[in-house]
């Protein structure tokens, strides 16, 4: 037992299923560079000025190297932003001001840099011109580079993770999450976040248990001390006793057996009566594909292409994209001859911000995001379409457009798609001429008008993460409104029903790729509503396969009837309670399966 404090279990949000035991790695994140603060001894000002000068030279050198790399990569374009950073480092006013703080106030170089940056930030922020307001971001960037040079702060704090650990953080951006070495992360425990934030999705996709919304876990956990993380029930135990560690390890073993058990049964999604609602995986570039196969995925219902844009200064080239999509297409083929991979075109904006692309918007969730961004940036869109089409010769590939809100977008996208195929034809480049194009249904207007949208596409993929968020006007990543994020709200159920019916009427297929597809209660409800397949983080496939294998089509019809009998006046909680009662009645060992 640790002598650091008594054992305590702290409740959080059950974000990614699974258990982990291991030492805590307290991750302080990219955002904070610890800045030393000291008074410069009289007579030592020149040394401090020299430190500043050296840091300026080093930072400029780094930036110049970056600029030539960027130039080489883009043929001279896109370097403006870094040239502007160089100009800031050369700015006499800024440098003079910093030197003055060191000389006259005798503060250390880091504190002087921060003071100058704060002063400039205040001035930029007061300007009406959006161009200058945007410069604040550049200033942040330059300040960060300079402080790194001064403090020797590691470029990438994720590299400090050296032994398998539970990563404890305030919150993690998608970029930080994917930068952590996968094989050393046993679990995630964060102060903030919610079950549908992108960090949550990522941990699920990577098959790493996670608990979020823990409040102040970064202060309560101690680096190196053992933690017990229960991502299934949303709890973390600090300072566990030896017997608590033993019990927990038994639980982990039980779960492993369960996964083995379901992975060796009939194809995932086979019902008790032999009918089939195939289970597909949601993946993104970099996900270990061998695991997905082992977990029983029969296709890929969502390939989040935007991860190719993360963690880099430059947009991926067509060749880089082609390579990634080709790998994905080849992988999909290994899942079965008829298995498909639905590549979603760049879905940025909202909480998915990409350096160099995302611009500051007052309301990014309602802004120029996803398909809107692509239609207003035809070069980016066409390059991606071209790369996907070229990769389509390696396996059955589909393309789906995110955040579609009206038919005009599908018309405009079809036009650009045709321009790309014409160009490929002219160049004699092969591609799949029957490549299916689909629309994600994630915006209420799309669900309401699904009949009209269906005329333009071969399939719908319902993104419930966003559809619920936009229907309920409840930010999917905000704990304070998590109670309003209600998959079983009658309004959400109506939109689901309407979308599925429109797909059937128009002879196109429909699936769900939001995280709710993996929820033991709600995912089965979508199956009962008649979706053609469910797509989810692969870790959840064995569990959902096991649940579906216990039910017949007639059972599912009965389940839907029970829910529909509740009517529009029922609350989300009442409907959920009916669902849970029905599920427990039909799968008596539900709690054992779900753990
Ligand atoms: C969704 O919104 O349900 C979805 C699958 O897309 P993402 O979570 O990537 O926004
Ligand atoms: Mg979405």
């Amino acid at each position: 037992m640790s002598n650091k404090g008594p054992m305590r279990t702290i409740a959080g949000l059950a974000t990614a299923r699974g258990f982990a035991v291991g030492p805590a790695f307290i991750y302080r994140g990219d955002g904070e560079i610890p800045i030393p603060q000291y008074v410069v001894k009289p007579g030592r000002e020149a040394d401090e000025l020299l430190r500043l000068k050296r840091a300026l030279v080093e930072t400029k050198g780094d930036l110049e190297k970056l600029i030539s790399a960027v130039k080489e990569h883009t043929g001279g374009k896109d370097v403006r932003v870094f040239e502007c950073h160089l100009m800031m480092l050369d700015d006499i006013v800024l440098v003079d001001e910093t030197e003055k703080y060191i000389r006259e106030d005798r503060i250390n170089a880091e504190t002087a840099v921060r003071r100058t940056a704060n002063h400039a930030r205040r001035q930029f922020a007061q300007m009406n011109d959006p161009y200058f307001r945007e410069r604040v971001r550049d200033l942040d960037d330059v300040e960060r580079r300079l402080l790194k040079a001064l403090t020797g702060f590691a470029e990438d704090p994720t590299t400090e993770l050296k032994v398998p650990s539970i990563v404890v953080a305030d919150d993690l951006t998608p970029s930080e999450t994917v930068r952590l070495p996968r094989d050393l992360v046993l679990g995630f425990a964060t102060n903030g976040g919610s079950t549908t934030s992108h960090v949550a999705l990522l941990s699920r996709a990577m098959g790493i248990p996670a608990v979020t919304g823990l409040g102040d876990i970064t202060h309560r956990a101690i680096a190196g001390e053992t933690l017990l993380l229960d991502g299934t029930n949303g709890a973390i135990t600090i300072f566990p006793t030896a017997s608590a560690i033993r019990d927990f390890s038994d639980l982990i073993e039980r779960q492993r057996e369960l996964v083995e058990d379901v992975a060796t049964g009939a194809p995932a999604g086979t019902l008790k009566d032999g009918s089939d609602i195939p289970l597909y995986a949601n993946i993104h570039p970099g996900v270990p594909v061998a695991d997905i196969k082992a977990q029983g995925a029969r296709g890929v219902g969502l390939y989040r292409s935007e991860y190719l844009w993360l963690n880099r200064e430059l947009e991926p080239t067509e060749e880089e994209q082609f390579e990634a999509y080709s790998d994905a297409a080849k992988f999909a083929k290994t899942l079965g001859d008829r298995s498909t991979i639905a590549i979603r075109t760049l879905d940025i904006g909202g909480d998915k911000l990409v350096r160099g692309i995302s611009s500051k918007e007052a309301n990014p969730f309602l802004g120029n995001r996803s398909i809107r961004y692509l239609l207003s940036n035809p070069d980016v869109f066409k390059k991606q379409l071209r790369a996907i089409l070229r990769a389509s010769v390696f396996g059955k590939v589909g393309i789906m457009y995110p955040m579609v809100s009206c038919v005009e977008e599908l018309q405009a996208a079809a036009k650009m798609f045709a321009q790309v195929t014409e160009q490929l034809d002219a160049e004699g480049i092969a591609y799949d001429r029957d490549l299916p194009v689909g629309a994600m249904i994630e915006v209420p207007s799309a669900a309401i008008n699904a009949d009209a949208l269906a005329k333009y596409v071969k399939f719908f993929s319902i993104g419930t993460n966003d559809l619920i968020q936009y229907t309920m006007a409840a930010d999917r990543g905000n704990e304070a409104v998590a109670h309003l994020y209600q998959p079983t709200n009658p309004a959400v159920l109506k939109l689901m029903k309407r979308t599925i019916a429109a797909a059937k009427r128009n002879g196109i297929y429909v699936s769900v790729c939001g995280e709710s597809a993996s929820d033991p209660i709600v995912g089965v409800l979508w199956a009962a509503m008649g979706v053609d397949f469910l797509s989810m983080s692969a870790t959840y496939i064995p569990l959902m396969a096991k649940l579906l294998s216990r039910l017949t089509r007639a059972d599912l019809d009965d389940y839907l009837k029970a829910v529909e009998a509740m009517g529009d006046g029922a609350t989300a909680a009442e409907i959920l309670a009916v669902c849970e009662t029905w599920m427990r009645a039909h799968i008596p060992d539900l709690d054992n399966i779900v753990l």
Side-chain angles (χ1 to χ4, degrees):
M1 186 164 95
S2 160
N3 58 5
K4 298 277 174 20
M7 177 165 111
R8 285 247 186 292
T9 296
I10 304 158
L13 297 165
T15 294
R17 206 169 285 279
F19 306 92
V21 184
F25 169 73
I26 316 280
Y27 177 66
R28 300 281 169 209
D30 266 355
E32 306 164 26
I33 298 181
I35 305 182
Q37 259 185 314
Y38 53 87
V39 176
V40 177
K41 291 202 181 97
R44 304 303 294 265
E45 294 88 345
D47 293 347
E48 204 60 23
L49 288 167
L50 191 62
R51 279 188 68 229
L52 175 69
K53 195 168 186 164
R54 285 200 180 122
L56 281 165
V57 171
E58 183 184 327
T59 310
K60 276 193 247 176
D62 287 350
L63 268 171
E64 272 154 9
K65 268 191 236 147
L66 182 70
I67 289 173
S68 44
V70 175
K71 272 190 178 147
E72 211 167 282
H73 197 90
T74 63
K77 284 188 284 162
D78 297 336
V79 289
R80 215 188 42 79
V81 61
F82 301 113
E83 281 169 350
C84 150
H85 290 186
L86 259 188
M87 276 158 58
M88 279 187 177
L89 287 168
D90 276 330
D91 188 314
I92 306 262
V93 179
L94 294 179
V95 175
D96 276 0
E97 183 179 336
T98 314
E99 289 180 343
K100 189 168 145 262
Y101 290 141
I102 296 174
R103 244 190 339 262
E104 296 178 8
D105 298 344
R106 299 216 328 277
I107 56 173
N108 61 320
E110 291 90 339
T111 318
V113 166
R114 168 72 24 110
R115 205 189 266 184
T116 304
N118 281 344
H119 184 211
R121 262 191 288 268
R122 272 196 301 277
Q123 288 184 333
F124 281 144
Q126 279 161 7
M127 295 185 190
N128 279 331
D129 187 333
Y131 171 82
F132 283 107
R133 279 206 305 271
E134 191 56 23
R135 297 286 70 77
V136 172
R137 283 154 51 107
D138 294 317
L139 192 65
D140 293 345
D141 211 335
V142 172
E143 182 199 24
R144 191 174 171 79
R145 284 179 187 278
L146 207 45
L147 288 174
K148 267 188 191 162
L150 278 167
T151 57
F153 185 77
E155 167 71 36
D156 183 358
T158 60
T159 57
E160 287 159 27
L161 177 60
K162 299 273 195 278
V163 294
S165 305
I166 293 175
V167 175
V168 177
D170 181 42
D171 212 344
L172 286 155
T173 64
S175 329
E176 288 169 323
T177 317
V178 294
R179 258 190 358 242
L180 286 159
R182 164 71 187 89
D183 50 337
L184 297 183
V185 181
L186 301 173
F188 289 113
T190 63
N191 293 341
S194 76
T195 55
T196 52
S197 63
H198 276 279
V199 185
L201 301 192
L202 261 175
S203 52
R204 279 183 221 149
M206 289 157 64
I208 299 175
V211 181
T212 59
L214 284 160
D216 59 352
I217 188 67
T218 43
H219 295 297
R220 300 181 73 174
I222 293 181
E225 289 290 312
T226 301
L227 297 175
L228 310 180
L229 182 139
D230 176 351
T232 301
N233 299 298
I236 190 143
T237 302
I238 53 175
F239 314 127
T241 59
S243 79
I245 295 177
R246 235 183 355 260
D247 289 352
F248 206 74
S249 304
D250 288 350
L251 196 64
I252 294 177
E253 182 54 22
R254 258 178 64 214
Q255 196 209 25
R256 201 187 54 73
E257 284 167 11
L258 178 74
V259 169
E260 244 176 50
D261 184 26
V262 286
T264 50
T270 310
L271 301 191
K272 197 166 150 190
D273 57 7
S275 48
D276 200 16
I277 302 165
L279 302 184
Y280 279 32
N282 293 349
I283 68 168
H284 58 79
V287 156
V289 287
D291 296 2
I292 288 156
K293 209 169 161 176
Q295 277 150 328
R298 293 167 66 184
V300 174
L302 167 62
Y303 176 91
R304 290 185 162 98
S305 69
E306 56 276 9
Y307 286 93
L308 286 175
W309 271 255
L310 296 177
N311 285 325
R312 47 189 303 154
E313 306 273 354
L314 301 171
E315 183 199 338
T317 62
E318 181 184 323
E319 285 316 302
E320 281 173 289
Q321 293 189 55
F322 169 66
E323 218 168 279
Y325 306 148
S326 301
D327 285 349
K330 286 175 200 160
F331 163 64
K333 203 160 186 176
T334 69
L335 297 176
D337 273 351
R338 291 176 46 230
S339 105
T340 60
I341 168 159
I343 298 181
R344 173 172 73 185
T345 53
L346 179 61
D347 186 24
I348 56 151
D351 57 344
K352 288 179 253 187
L353 300 177
V354 175
R355 207 187 302 167
I357 289 189
S358 308
S359 53
K360 245 200 179 108
E361 293 179 293
N363 200 342
F365 280 93
L366 304 182
N368 188 25
R369 57 175 305 194
S370 314
I371 187 70
R372 305 165 184 188
Y373 173 83
L374 289 170
L375 292 173
S376 57
N377 289 275
D379 290 350
V380 179
F381 192 23
K382 286 187 191 170
K383 196 191 290 177
Q384 185 173 30
L385 290 177
R386 200 179 143 93
I388 301 174
L389 278 157
R390 285 174 55 205
S392 68
V393 294
F394 297 111
K396 192 71 198 161
V397 169
I399 290 180
M400 60 190 196
Y401 301 134
M403 298 287 304
V404 171
S405 45
C406 56
V407 291
E408 294 93 304
E409 287 170 338
L410 291 178
Q411 289 166 341
K415 222 181 244 171
M416 291 195 198
F417 186 92
Q419 287 164 1
V420 173
T421 52
E422 267 164 36
Q423 184 66 38
L424 288 173
D425 287 339
E427 293 171 35
I429 295 175
Y431 61 90
D432 176 8
R433 286 169 191 277
D434 293 324
L435 181 145
V437 174
M440 286 194 70
I441 304 295
E442 338 184 60
V443 179
S445 64
I448 292 166
N449 209 20
D451 259 307
L453 264 53
K455 311 279 188 288
Y456 294 86
V457 289
K458 293 264 173 47
F459 65 94
F460 283 157
S461 178
I462 308 177
T464 46
N465 302 335
D466 279 315
L467 185 62
I468 298 167
Q469 147 167 283
Y470 288 117
T471 304
M472 300 301 299
D475 181 346
R476 62 196 256 181
N478 184 344
E479 285 162 77
V481 292
H483 61 289
L484 288 172
Y485 191 88
Q486 301 172 333
T488 52
N489 184 287
V492 173
L493 299 184
K494 272 188 184 172
L495 293 183
M496 293 297 293
K497 187 173 172 182
R498 194 178 172 95
T499 305
I500 295 166
K504 306 250 167 228
R505 258 194 305 278
N506 290 276
I508 66 172
Y509 60 96
V510 56
S511 61
V512 175
C513 67
E515 289 303 305
S516 66
S518 66
D519 183 282
I521 305 291
V522 181
V524 175
L525 180 58
W526 305 151
M529 280 188 167
V531 296
D532 295 301
F533 64 86
L534 293 167
S535 192
M536 63 196 71
S537 302
T539 350
Y540 291 76
I541 291 177
L543 168 72
M544 186 53 73
K546 180 123 185 163
L547 294 178
L548 290 178
S549 73
R550 299 291 191 84
L551 302 167
T552 63
R553 187 77 242 180
D555 289 333
L556 291 182
D557 292 344
D558 185 61
Y559 185 30
L560 186 57
K561 235 193 243 156
V563 171
E564 289 191 332
M566 296 293 290
D568 291 353
T571 66
E574 285 163 352
I575 295 176
L576 191 61
V578 164
C579 290
E580 283 176 2
T581 306
W582 188 95
M583 286 288 283
R584 285 212 166 78
H586 289 76
I587 307 179
D589 56 344
L590 180 73
D591 290 332
N592 263 350
I593 297 174
V594 175
L595 281 179

